Amino acid sequence: MGTQGLPRVTEIHHDPQLFVDDFLVDNRWADDHRAESVRRVFHQPVKHAANPVIAGDGGYVNVVRDDEAGLFRMWYQAYWDISYEPRKYTYAVAYAESPDGIHWKLPRIRRHSFKNTLDNNIVFAGPFGDHASCQFIVDAPEEDRRGYRYVMLHGTRSAEGHGMHLIGSHDGIEWDPASSSLIFPGYRPDTHSSILWDPRLRTYVCFTRATNLYDDTNGLRRRVARLESPNLWDTWPIYPENVLIPDELDERSGHPLFYGMPTQYYAGIYWGFLWPYAYGGDIHTELAFSRDGWNFQRLPERPRLVDRGPEGSWDAGMVFASTWLEVGDEWWLYYSGTDGGHNSRENVPGIGLARVRKEGFVSLRSPAGGGTVVTKLMRWPGGRLLVNADASKSEFTVLATGYDRKPVDGFDPAPSLPVTGDRVRHEVVWAHGDIRALGGKPIRLEFVMHGEVDLFGFQAVPEEA
């Protein structure tokens, strides 16, 4: 119950409300009880036909879009095997750019010696010029960027500053040494850690490994841990806590370890790009998600978000996807891949692209005979109703009802006008009502699908948007 004996009302805002879970779903069913119910469906991103978009080079990858310059900018981890005996290797951060996100140029930066040459695209080699690994471009609020356009998290293992650093850049190529801050002193998680800003908690959250608690005995450090700080550039309190550990299904699949989980925050959800790992062997990417950043869910059948390629292909061994970039009505996922497994010394790397519709990882799909999805009682924040749905095979309508599922007083009791077609933003309207008038009122939305429809989510969009 809600306050004072009233029904509970879920507060929503103007961000997208996605059906990746049943957080806002009160009930769902098929019109024909003999048919399969309205069910959750995973939509795997499709690998681009031009893959690899960068061949023969690559590592952990981050991409942003610079609209002013008309460029896609990419940073990736470059690897240098200096010697086998004695074993010695290092990393640096390489840079590439593209006008369309598909055709990439590796400019000759010629500022950092790597693999015994300056003729390379290395833009950063660490604060001491000998090691920079596991870079991650932090999407921080403007006020926390210290005037820089780009802020990068990276690791170093130099004796002078072992740990994880932040550094800023105005153009993504020149990284300002004066900005370098050792925020995780003595703590280097040895994976592609990510830092994101949670606007609800007003704090920064890092997903990483708890290497201060566990070593690599039996792979114990290969879990996903969380730590946080309200201040991005200050020294963080290093108290990581594991939030995702392998379970029985991971054991059965032969992937009892997690190599890492770069994470992105969108629409009130933490989206984790989890890397299940067969010890010493292959790695792929799965989807994990959480409403609070502590309790992560995974889809029951554990589908692979970005899978390894077929035997003999450039990405047959390992696949590391790391967050997405919004391009039009699509999400683009760049990933690094190798042709061999983790323990192979002869791996040839590359970078690929996979694409999916915007907000399109998971939908609620009605069967051919139709079905209904009823939301929980929620306070309408005002604005128009936009729905992300594929109704190209049929159509759907929407009812606005109260707690008792009866028409809202003073609003059109009839369903909305039918909606058909495949769009990430269908606007839903009524013949004799305007949902904007319901701002601040508790309502349910009842999506009635007349045939097979994929329902991804909806959004209350204010007039100024």
Side-chain angles (χ1 to χ4, degrees), residues 134-465:
C134 305
Q135 88 296 329
F136 185 83
I137 305 300
V138 181
D139 186 14
E142 190 70 33
E143 60 269 22
D144 284 346
R145 297 187 184 184
R146 296 190 172 181
Y148 296 103
R149 187 166 192 175
Y150 305 107
V151 175
M152 181 171 66
L153 173 72
H154 70 89
T156 184
R157 62 184 180 196
S158 300
E160 297 93 334
H162 178 82
M164 299 291 287
H165 297 245
L166 284 181
I167 192 168
S169 172
H170 296 293
D171 61 5
I173 297 174
E174 289 279 359
W175 294 88
D176 185 2
S179 69
S180 183
S181 297
L182 181 58
I183 63 170
F184 300 169
Y187 176 71
R188 194 174 62 86
D190 190 30
T191 192
H192 190 38
S193 302
S194 54
I195 290 178
L196 53 85
W197 170 249
D198 186 328
R200 296 171 304 182
L201 299 178
R202 306 294 299 174
T203 194
Y204 287 94
V205 179
C206 178
F207 292 95
T208 183
R209 289 180 185 168
T211 52
N212 63 322
L213 301 176
Y214 303 101
D215 60 22
D216 206 25
T217 303
N218 298 322
L220 291 180
R221 71 178 180 180
R222 299 182 190 273
R223 312 287 192 256
V224 178
R226 168 190 169 127
L227 52 86
E228 61 184 58
S229 172
N231 302 307
L232 177 62
W233 292 86
D234 294 346
T235 301
W236 287 42
I238 307 300
Y239 299 112
E241 178 180 334
N242 282 334
V243 294
L244 194 59
I245 62 176
D247 62 13
E248 295 80 3
L249 292 181
D250 296 304
E251 295 277 353
R252 291 175 198 162
S253 73
H255 296 80
L257 308 170
F258 294 155
Y259 205 79
M261 190 180 76
T263 306
Q264 190 162 349
Y265 185 86
Y266 180 82
I269 299 172
Y270 289 78
W271 302 87
F273 295 79
L274 182 66
W275 299 337
Y277 173 37
Y279 196 75
D282 65 81
I283 297 172
H284 59 271
T285 302
E286 287 184 12
L287 181 67
F289 51 93
S290 171
R291 295 279 175 175
D292 62 6
W294 292 97
N295 301 287
F296 279 86
Q297 301 180 56
R298 299 161 70 189
L299 297 171
E301 296 177 354
R302 302 288 170 83
R304 299 186 176 187
L305 186 70
V306 182
D307 200 2
R308 296 178 294 116
E311 188 69 28
S313 64
W314 71 275
D315 57 354
M318 298 185 291
V319 163
F320 301 94
S322 174
T323 71
W324 71 76
L325 183 68
E326 187 170 312
V327 181
D329 288 341
E330 293 184 327
W331 281 351
W332 289 18
L333 288 74
Y334 290 92
Y335 67 95
S336 59
T338 62
D339 58 351
H342 185 268
N343 281 357
S344 172
R345 290 185 175 179
E346 307 300 327
N347 281 335
V348 178
I351 294 173
L353 168 64
R355 301 182 296 182
V356 69
R357 76 183 290 133
K358 180 179 179 179
E359 301 161 4
F361 292 139
V362 178
S363 68
L364 289 177
R365 177 178 293 172
S366 55
T372 300
V373 174
V374 179
T375 71
K376 295 177 180 178
L377 192 67
M378 57 191 178
R379 195 176 314 281
W380 189 247
R384 300 172 294 138
L385 171 61
L386 301 185
V387 178
N388 187 341
D390 181 357
S392 56
K393 298 179 181 178
S394 56
E395 66 180 32
F396 69 91
T397 57
V398 182
L399 286 161
T401 62
Y403 166 76
D404 54 8
R405 298 190 58 223
K406 295 179 180 179
V408 176
D409 289 343
F411 190 75
D412 192 341
S416 70
L417 300 180
V419 180
T420 189
D422 182 5
R423 296 184 65 187
V424 299
R425 291 293 181 266
H426 295 279
E427 182 165 6
V428 179
V429 296
W430 281 258
H432 304 291
D434 189 333
I435 196 169
R436 291 174 293 184
L438 299 181
K441 294 184 178 181
I443 66 169
R444 298 183 191 271
L445 293 178
E446 304 197 14
F447 297 88
V448 181
M449 286 89 84
H450 307 281
E452 183 179 302
V453 173
D454 279 299
L455 188 64
F456 295 90
F458 65 92
Q459 185 174 5
V461 178
E463 287 302 304
E464 61 271 18

Side-chain angles (χ1 to χ4, degrees), residues 7-12 17 23-24 376-380:
R8 189 176 73 90
V9 179
T10 299
E11 303 290 341
I12 67 169
Q17 308 298 319
F23 174 73
L24 271 180
K376 295 177 180 178
L377 192 67
M378 57 191 178
R379 195 176 314 281
W380 189 247

